[in-house]
Amino acid sequence: EEHRPEDFHVTVKAGTPWTEVQAYLAGEDRELDWTVPHPEQRSVGGILAGDESWPWRGGQRSPRDRLLGLSGLLADGSPFSTGGRVVKNVTGYDLCRLLAGRRGALALTTSLRLRPRPRVESRRLLLLSFRDADRARDAALALFGRCEFPAGILLLGPGFELPDLQPATRLALGLEGRERDLAEQERRSLEILGAEALLPRDTAREEG
């Protein structure tokens, strides 16, 4: 419906396919940083209704966190509109955050105003293997508490098999940014774990 790159917001109809929105924003060097299952089958409104962004929820990666405003219909059919065009736009209760994730129980959404971000240059998945789940969990907590990255953290049990890797409890870190920043993020992550005596048994990388 409307895109204002200079103000970092885009307005779309709730039924717009997710892939269509992402393709359009990519052409403007922007993106919505949500990871959703079966993206080719989803609409933007449907994703917002469930507040879905699995499995990466580090930083501002939830639909709720990118929602500036919305319009729709209340249960009695009355139209409504809430929110604004900037991040901090209300002095009272933020109705946008209330409605996101309610799966349409409180209102039917017809239009969304979202805040995309500049498109990320590079992504990397870093897999850290640990001998047991306790060490993997402690490593995740250490990283979560001491740095602003990674973009996401996910624990993978030994039942989750990966090609060319022995079964183990793994910590998956999603790294993103400029190409030259990824090596520094990886180095810093391992430095933090080393200081806590939580270095992994081995590591693997997958460029995204």
Side-chain angles (χ1 to χ4, degrees), residues 67-192:
L67 182 61
L68 294 175
L70 54 82
S71 301
L73 300 173
L74 299 175
D76 63 358
S78 303
F80 77 95
S81 182
T82 185
R85 296 180 182 273
V86 295
V87 178
K88 294 183 179 180
N89 54 69
V90 294
T91 56
Y93 192 83
D94 189 346
L95 290 179
C96 290
R97 298 187 70 84
L98 173 66
L99 295 174
R102 300 301 178 182
R103 301 188 182 278
L106 301 179
L108 174 66
T109 301
T110 58
S111 180
L112 311 169
R113 187 174 302 112
L114 303 163
R115 179 169 57 94
R117 69 172 185 176
R119 196 177 184 192
V120 166
E121 178 182 312
S122 300
R123 289 183 170 88
R124 176 182 300 169
L125 183 64
L126 181 64
L127 293 168
L128 310 177
S129 295
F130 295 88
R131 66 173 181 264
D132 57 56
D134 288 341
R135 285 180 62 82
R137 180 203 60 210
D138 292 344
L141 292 173
L143 290 173
F144 186 79
R146 293 185 56 185
C147 61
E148 296 180 358
F149 58 87
I153 303 177
L154 182 66
L155 281 173
L156 303 174
F160 191 88
E161 297 184 6
L162 296 169
D164 303 322
L165 290 175
Q166 295 297 318
T169 299
R170 295 187 183 85
L171 191 61
L173 309 181
L175 308 180
E176 61 183 30
R178 293 175 296 179
E179 180 65 33
R180 65 175 181 269
D181 293 337
L182 298 187
E184 174 60 22
Q185 290 183 22
E186 183 175 329
R187 184 200 66 78
R188 177 59 178 152
S189 296
L190 294 175
E191 180 181 78
I192 290 171

